Structures are given as C-alpha cells and as structure tokens.
Amino acid sequence: DQNITYTLSGADAQYFNIDKNTGVVTLKVAADYEVKSSYDVVITATHVSGGKDTQELQIEVQNVNDNAPDIQIAAQVAIDENTAAVTTATATDADGTLNPLTYSLGGADAALFNIDSATGKLSFKSEPDYETSAREYNVEVTVSDGTFSDTQAVTVTVNNVNDNAPVLADEAAAIDENSAAGTVIAKLAATDADGDLTPLTYSLAAGGTGDGLFTVAADGTVSVAAGAALDQHLVEAVPSGVPCRRHGSRVSVSKESAGMECYHAGRCSD
C-alpha cells in the first residue's frame, strides 16, 4: 500500500535498515552470535491519514559452527623417566558447546603415545627409561570441532633420575704385614648407569673383620689405618660368610674382607 510508510525504533534499531515502502528489515552488518545473540526493535506503520500501528520484534540469532577451536598445550614438556603421564591439552571454542571437541595425535613419535580423545590427556604407551630410551620425542596434538581444527607441536624431554644402584666390582690387593699407616691398598672405582647425576661416596661397612684396620677416602682409595696391626693371622670374611685363617707373610684383602660399601643417594651395593 503506497499510503503506508514504515519506520524503526527500539533498543537495537541502529543495527538495522528498513525499507520505508515495503517494510523489509535488514541488518546493516551480518549477525555474529558470538558478538550479539538477540535484538529488540519496534516497527511502526503509518498511514497517510495519520493512523499508525506498532509491532515489537525480537530477533534471535542462531549459533553455527563458524569458529576454529583454540588449543592450549605447552610446546616444551619435561618429565622424569619411568613416568607415563606427560601433560593434558585443553581447548576453547568461541562457538561454545555447539560441537564436541576431540583430540588426536600426529608427528614423528606419535606411535609411542596415547591421547584421550575426549580429555586431551597425553601419555606414553610405555614408561621411558633415560638410560635405554630416547631422551626427546616430538608429537603434534590436534583439537577438532568436526569442521575446524588447531594443532600444536610438542617436544617431550625425559629427565634423568636416580633409579639405578651403583656397581662396585670386587677388588683384591696384597700388602705386607706390618705395613705403615697410610699405605695404599687399592683404588676402588664404582660405575653408575645414572652417570654423574649424584656423586658417589665410599665407606667401610661395619662388622667386617677389617674393622679398624683400613680407611677409605671419598675418592675410593683404601689405605692402612693409623695404629692398625696387620699380622699373618688376620681372619678374613669370604663371600659365603664362613671365616677362614690365612697364613704367610702377606695379607690378602678383598671387598668382602674389608666390608666396603658404595653409597649413591641412599642406594648401596654390598
């Protein structure tokens, strides 16, 4: 009807245009659910005679999947050896819960890991061993909403921990009876698969037949103790624990007879 014109008012009128002759209402800018999800306007129809009518209109914007999820996970992760759990990826999506998010793995070392597709929990299939396994791994963690996705490259570094006992080989040395205090008997050298993670220290075990006769330095040097009386009748403890008597002009000293132990951060080797 050419005798009727249309106008807009109301709280959100500034977002719209209206054709004054047809009453067709259009948005000035495409709607974005994440910016504004509803609008309220009032449409007024006015007749040339002066009569008018108004209609309140609420416009609801429907959410659609038009945003990619955003993954949050550190690019560098360090864990201790013998540990399966690595980290957990999380993600946000501006579209809210419109589409469920799922996690997946890729990258050079993906076959060595598991990831929970629902929670993003990343873990090793088998716990890594610093001494026998690789010490660095590379994976790519991807989150998807079914249409869009986001990916983060992750480098996992394995830390060395003290999980191996040091090894101290048996030593045998011969010294003359009545040797002077400070006479070096042997230089012990222990090995440790954990490398130099923690320092090795040496000490004499209590209760051996060598009690009071020998000293051992921090570097593993075994010497005759001050005031020690070495004679040919020294009783020696053997591995079976059965004592025997040795006769002669020299005294045989071994790891067992001196009762030596090697300590490494609370671990020891008898």
Side-chain angles (χ1 to χ4, degrees), residues 36-244:
K36 189 171 178 60
S37 61
S38 66
Y39 300 86
D40 293 293
V41 296
V42 177
I43 300 173
T44 300
T46 304
H47 192 271
V48 292
S49 64
K52 64 175 60 177
D53 192 17
T54 60
Q55 176 67 56
E56 293 182 356
L57 180 64
Q58 185 176 66
I59 303 168
E60 299 288 342
V61 179
Q62 298 298 311
N63 191 14
V64 297
N65 184 19
D66 61 342
N67 291 281
D70 180 22
I71 195 167
Q72 289 98 41
I73 185 173
Q76 301 284 335
V77 179
I79 66 164
D80 289 342
E81 62 176 317
N82 310 314
T83 303
V86 177
T87 189
T88 299
T90 60
T92 58
D93 192 332
D95 296 320
T97 58
L98 183 65
N99 297 94
L101 300 180
T102 57
Y103 298 87
S104 60
L105 271 180
D109 300 312
L112 302 176
F113 293 81
N114 290 319
I115 192 166
D116 189 305
S117 62
T119 66
K121 182 179 180 181
L122 178 66
S123 60
F124 276 97
K125 291 181 178 178
S126 298
E127 296 175 354
D129 183 359
Y130 183 89
E131 288 73 41
T132 62
S133 306
R135 297 174 183 176
E136 186 176 284
Y137 301 84
N138 293 284
V139 296
E140 293 179 350
V141 180
T142 297
V143 62
S144 173
D145 63 9
T147 301
F148 303 102
S149 63
D150 189 22
T151 299
Q152 173 66 56
V154 179
T155 298
V156 181
T157 303
V158 178
N159 296 326
N160 192 14
V161 299
N162 183 20
D163 62 340
N164 291 281
V167 177
L168 180 61
D170 288 348
E171 295 284 345
I175 57 172
D176 292 334
E177 62 178 329
N178 303 316
S179 292
T183 299
V184 174
I185 301 170
K187 178 65 179 293
L188 304 177
T191 59
D192 193 333
D194 294 321
D196 58 359
L197 184 64
T198 52
L200 298 177
T201 59
Y202 300 82
S203 62
L204 294 177
T209 57
D211 280 1
L213 300 178
F214 309 104
T215 61
V216 59
D219 65 356
T221 300
V222 182
S223 307
V224 176
L230 301 181
D231 61 38
Q232 62 185 0
H233 301 297
L234 177 67
V235 176
E236 181 184 64
V238 296
S240 65
V242 179
C244 64

